[in-house]
Amino acid sequence: MNLLFIISILFCLFFSNIILLPLPFNQYAYMLAREQIRQHDRGVQAQNNLNSKEKVVNLYLELLQAKEYINTKNYFYPSRPIETELENIIKSSFYQFLTLLPKGGNLHIHEFQVLDRKLLLESIKNSPEYDLLYICDQNDCIKNKYHLRYYKDNVPSGWTKVKDSNWTISDIIKKTTLTGILNELKTPIYSTDTEGRWNVANQYGVFNFYDDLIRYNVTRFNYMKLVLDQALDENIQLLEFRRGFFGKLFYFDANGLRIPINESEELDLLLKFKQDYILKNPKFIDFIFLIYSTRQLSKEQIKIDINNLINLQRTYPDFIRGYDMVGEEDQGHTILFHSDSLMNAFNYSKTSNESFDLFFHAGETNWPENHLPSNYGDGVSTFENIYDALVLRTRRIGHGLSLAKRPDMYEYIRERQIAIEVCLASNQILGYVADLRSHPGIVYHRSGIPIVLASDDPGSFGYNQLTIDFYLATMAWGLNLADLKQFAWNSIQYSSLLDDRKTEGFRKWENQWNLFIDSSYTLACNQTFPNVIMNISDILPSYGPYDRSINVTLFGSGFEIAICKSIICKFGEKETNGIFLDINEIICPTPSIHNDLSTVPISIVINNETFQSGLNYKFVSSLSVIDD
Ligand SMILES: [Zn+2]
């Protein structure tokens, strides 16, 4: 078969036969064809869904983003290890702007890995608990060195009272967060050494740091309050926590003994805490729990876990909404290995009145499917967890990196509306994606798979909540406001909230969104640009038919001065209304009828000020183009 013919068939298939491209190639036909492809692409990107105010805020976002691209041109943070770039990112004004964006929910976070260490430690320092705080820092402290624990008396050897020591909060953070530890290693770990990075995290107990502190009921509820307050500060209104089983909480009695609080007491306290919190903070939507086991556990243990979970879930159907298995996927057991017990969980979900689902971490791997199984007893490799998660009707997929190799499955996932929880910073720090410009999340999003941005273990990594991930995605993928709005919307739509709560969730988020748009719109329109000079560098096409209107694109720089202002395009003396497309492009429709075949100068008028382009447009008589 003729090669050209095959290419043209593939081309048509790719664009779903929607686009017929004009030919023959001349500048006019070329620009018509280009416009058609861009229209199609913009349709996919849903930019058209923004209202007029949002379109202005989108330009403002684009302007801030463009400044950040200039500032980071030779040192682009999303392409460098986050452990070295964290401070630079947080200082940037673009990050500060993204803090204000109403992000909806954070749907993939491990409850005791969320909060920035600094916030909890400062709050303990200002509380009576500081007197009880000890650090495991002496030579005979081997396991979990530099971890903290409360003691009233009987302090074992190896532990030092923090209050009486030289330890500062920032020193403790350096020793116990993954970014802190990676930065202090004598031999750096390569940015794609996934196993090496996980090993460091496990060896230093990075993910267990809060373990003892949050078992003490006073600190536990302080921790929760700080997490929720910080979420609201970053404009996150909904949290779906992954966490292990309940029932490890304690309080100190008068004699300093640890008295356990059982799981239903703990859950009742949490429910009461939640009610009070929402009463005081009515814009907060909800927090719920997805309970997990460690995937490395035996079949017997997972079976016991799931039976316990089912019993507990029946009593707290609004609070405990699902089940997952966690831990390094390449080292732990596969979903297939535990499938007998997981089928039980699935069968139970069908009887739970939609109050319970499975939410699997799956495809957090770079290995292909024919890679070795990780453990004795696992018949398949990590890659295949994606298949088993789908078999068990997972509501969402945590990470899903391996799907990058399987675009043939996108339609299946799209049709079933399974959202992917994309955690950029986590994927980078754990060595899965070194340069976030190549993170597959953008492919899923542009392919119409719903994605949500989530942060996994930010506190243990060394920062707070979710804005970091929004910064990395927006910069690395070149996102616009419509994309960010879509992610926020997805985080409510694909949350585990039941329908009536979801409606309320949307209402609360939309309120915040509208406030954000109003204040950003004001900021956008109050800008002044004393040092910006507008320059029109090119117009395309530079000729077109005299008897009908076409869109001519003006390319250039400094167009930001037109934000919030009306743009008049002038073809000689004839005027049309210009459209501000982005900070480098203005669209000028030609007049619908131009009586003579002439060449005219193009200028634009912004708020009564005229800018000459120095370029001409030519009206011609016959331009025959045919569709390809
Ligand atoms: Zn996770």
Side-chain angles (χ1 to χ4, degrees):
M1 223 184 313
N2 182 315
L3 184 64
L4 262 179
F5 180 63
I6 296 171
I7 291 173
S8 67
I9 295 230
L10 287 174
F11 196 76
C12 285
L13 282 175
F14 184 70
F15 289 106
S16 317
N17 290 326
I18 295 167
I19 305 177
L20 295 169
L21 295 173
L23 278 177
F25 268 148
N26 51 44
Q27 191 196 68
Y28 170 68
Y30 184 96
M31 287 309 286
L32 277 186
R34 194 169 189 282
E35 183 59 21
Q36 287 189 40
I37 288 183
R38 287 191 55 173
Q39 285 290 352
H40 173 86
D41 191 34
R42 269 185 223 122
V44 173
Q45 292 185 38
Q47 276 185 31
N48 300 330
N49 293 340
L50 296 181
N51 64 33
S52 58
K53 245 185 182 179
E54 288 171 334
K55 281 181 181 159
V56 170
V57 177
N58 183 42
L59 289 169
Y60 182 56
L61 178 112
E62 199 185 324
L63 189 59
L64 296 175
Q65 193 180 21
K67 283 182 187 159
E68 189 69 359
Y69 281 132
I70 292 168
N71 293 339
T72 58
K73 186 167 176 280
N74 299 318
Y75 201 93
F76 190 57
Y77 307 143
S79 67
R80 288 167 181 262
I82 190 169
E83 60 266 25
T84 59
E85 307 315 318
L86 197 57
E87 283 182 25
N88 290 329
I89 293 173
I90 290 170
K91 270 190 281 180
S92 81
S93 53
F94 191 54
Y95 175 92
Q96 299 300 329
F97 176 73
L98 289 174
T99 309
L100 307 173
L101 182 96
K103 301 170 185 69
N106 192 352
L107 303 189
H108 184 131
I109 27 168
H110 297 258
E111 186 184 1
F112 299 123
Q113 323 293 339
V114 184
L115 190 67
D116 192 336
R117 305 256 199 269
K118 189 170 169 224
L119 296 166
L120 185 71
L121 296 183
E122 273 174 358
S123 103
I124 293 175
K125 195 174 177 182
N126 296 319
S127 73
E129 286 77 67
Y130 196 43
D131 269 335
L132 313 178
L133 192 67
Y134 286 77
I135 183 164
C136 185
D137 64 343
Q138 295 168 29
N139 287 342
D140 48 348
C141 176
I142 310 289
K143 194 167 172 275
N144 290 346
K145 195 143 192 174
Y146 309 118
H147 280 208
L148 301 172
R149 197 177 159 98
Y150 291 128
Y151 287 104
K152 284 220 162 176
D153 43 34
N154 299 328
V155 181
S157 71
W159 294 79
T160 304
K161 189 168 188 168
V162 176
K163 197 175 180 181
D164 300 337
S165 73
N166 293 325
W167 280 102
T168 62
I169 289 175
S170 72
D171 286 340
I172 296 173
I173 291 169
K174 275 186 203 150
K175 295 282 186 200
T176 63
T177 58
L178 191 53
T179 50
I181 295 164
L182 287 171
N183 283 333
E184 295 216 331
L185 287 178
K186 288 198 180 80
T187 314
I189 296 187
Y190 203 64
S191 57
T192 54
D193 184 356
T194 303
E195 199 176 334
R197 285 169 174 255
W198 271 97
N199 284 346
V200 166
N202 291 332
Q203 182 191 333
Y204 287 80
V206 164
F207 298 129
N208 307 326
F209 177 76
Y210 284 135
D211 262 11
D212 191 66
L213 300 182
I214 47 81
R215 289 177 63 191
Y216 178 40
N217 67 338
V218 174
T219 305
R220 196 266 175 276
F221 285 96
N222 281 343
Y223 175 90
M224 186 56 122
K225 182 175 181 313
L226 286 167
V227 168
L228 304 190
D229 287 350
Q230 285 301 310
L232 285 179
D233 278 358
E234 290 190 35
N235 286 288
I236 300 153
Q237 298 166 270
L238 168 68
L239 298 164
E240 298 208 343
F241 294 118
R242 257 108 165 163
R243 60 156 293 153
F245 282 77
F246 293 89
K248 291 179 178 166
L249 206 60
F250 73 86
Y251 67 91
F252 283 114
D253 72 1
N255 301 318
L257 290 174
R258 293 179 169 213
I259 310 297
I261 296 173
N262 72 34
E263 59 183 9
S264 45
E265 280 176 288
E266 182 179 353
L267 277 154
D268 291 340
L269 288 169
L270 277 163
L271 274 172
K272 172 81 176 68
F273 171 86
K274 177 158 82 168
Q275 265 174 5
D276 292 347
Y277 191 84
I278 295 179
L279 215 58
K280 283 186 201 133
N281 301 275
K283 67 181 174 185
F284 191 76
I285 299 170
D286 205 353
F287 68 84
I288 59 93
F289 298 107
L290 309 173
I291 305 298
Y292 64 67
S293 308
T294 307
R295 61 190 332 128
Q296 191 65 272
L297 293 175
S298 67
K299 286 183 182 177
E300 291 68 31
Q301 187 57 51
I302 295 277
K303 189 177 173 187
I304 294 167
D305 279 4
I306 287 176
N307 286 338
N308 288 342
L309 170 67
I310 289 173
N311 285 334
L312 196 62
Q313 205 275 338
R314 279 200 186 103
T315 319
Y316 298 94
D318 291 339
F319 216 15
I320 296 175
R321 309 282 302 159
Y323 179 73
D324 185 11
M325 293 194 305
V326 305
E328 187 184 0
E329 221 177 307
D330 282 322
Q331 300 299 323
H333 287 300
T334 53
I335 294 177
L336 183 63
F337 179 86
H338 289 302
S339 55
D340 277 346
S341 298
L342 295 171
M343 277 188 267
N344 265 352
F346 172 75
N347 290 339
Y348 170 69
S349 76
K350 293 287 114 188
T351 67
S352 72
N353 227 352
E354 297 188 2
S355 72
F356 180 81
D357 275 298
L358 296 167
F359 294 81
F360 285 115
H361 276 74
E364 190 185 12
T365 180
N366 278 337
W367 292 109
E369 64 187 302
N370 50 0
H371 194 252
L372 304 172
S374 349
N375 293 281
Y376 178 76
D378 277 298
V380 296
S381 66
T382 315
F383 183 96
E384 299 207 5
N385 280 337
I386 283 284
Y387 299 148
D388 297 285
L390 293 174
V391 169
L392 289 162
R393 315 290 200 277
T394 193
R395 268 284 291 274
R396 301 192 299 260
I397 293 172
H399 300 292
L401 295 169
S402 60
L403 276 173
K405 300 185 180 73
R406 285 292 185 276
D408 49 302
M409 288 171 69
Y410 293 2
E411 193 178 345
Y412 184 90
I413 292 169
R414 215 165 31 222
E415 275 173 3
R416 281 156 189 78
Q417 292 288 290
I418 299 166
I420 300 184
E421 302 157 350
V422 173
C423 309
L424 286 97
S426 166
N427 295 157
Q428 193 189 47
I429 202 168
L430 291 173
Y432 295 101
V433 186
D435 184 340
L436 293 173
R437 290 172 294 189
S438 311
H439 192 288
I442 183 62
V443 181
Y444 307 156
H445 173 53
R446 297 283 182 238
S447 305
I449 294 175
I451 73 166
V452 293
L453 296 187
S455 57
D456 216 3
D457 311 295
S460 298
F461 294 147
Y463 50 90
N464 209 27
Q465 306 267 349
L466 188 56
T467 304
I468 284 281
D469 291 273
F470 269 75
Y471 173 94
L472 293 170
T474 310
M475 291 299 291
W477 301 344
L479 301 176
N480 58 47
L481 189 70
D483 297 313
L484 301 178
K485 187 180 180 187
Q486 185 73 52
F487 295 164
W489 188 89
N490 287 350
S491 73
I492 313 276
Q493 178 67 17
Y494 300 100
S495 71
S496 65
L497 293 176
L498 286 172
D499 283 350
D500 55 334
R501 303 294 322 273
K502 202 178 270 184
T503 308
E504 191 199 357
F506 273 121
R507 184 183 55 72
K508 289 187 178 189
W509 169 71
E510 273 160 17
N511 281 345
Q512 294 308 113
W513 181 262
N514 293 336
L515 289 171
F516 165 75
I517 292 298
D518 285 347
S519 60
S520 304
Y521 180 86
T522 308
L523 280 176
C525 295
N526 286 344
Q527 294 177 105
T528 54
F529 303 96
N531 301 318
V532 175
I533 297 167
M534 196 173 80
N535 171 46
I536 299 168
S537 58
D538 205 356
I539 65 162
L540 284 170
S542 58
Y543 62 89
Y546 78 104
D547 55 354
R548 66 187 177 94
S549 176
I550 65 157
N551 283 345
V552 171
T553 307
L554 276 60
F555 297 94
S557 57
F559 290 0
E560 56 266 34
I561 64 171
I563 282 186
C564 303
K565 297 181 178 127
S566 68
I567 303 172
I568 306 286
C569 303
K570 288 184 78 172
F571 293 80
E573 289 310 310
K574 289 218 164 109
E575 295 184 351
T576 60
N577 291 321
I579 302 158
F580 198 154
L581 199 64
D582 65 42
I583 56 171
N584 304 310
E585 281 178 70
I586 289 175
I587 300 283
C588 283
T590 61
S592 49
I593 297 178
H594 189 82
N595 288 335
D596 55 64
L597 305 177
S598 57
T599 299
V600 296
I602 290 198
S603 55
I604 60 174
V605 183
I606 297 168
N607 270 19
N608 298 325
E609 194 182 345
T610 302
F611 298 85
Q612 301 293 346
S613 70
L615 301 165
N616 291 328
Y617 183 78
K618 189 175 182 182
F619 291 97
V620 296
S621 62
S622 67
L623 272 169
S624 71
V625 291
I626 53 155
D627 283 335
D628 186 10

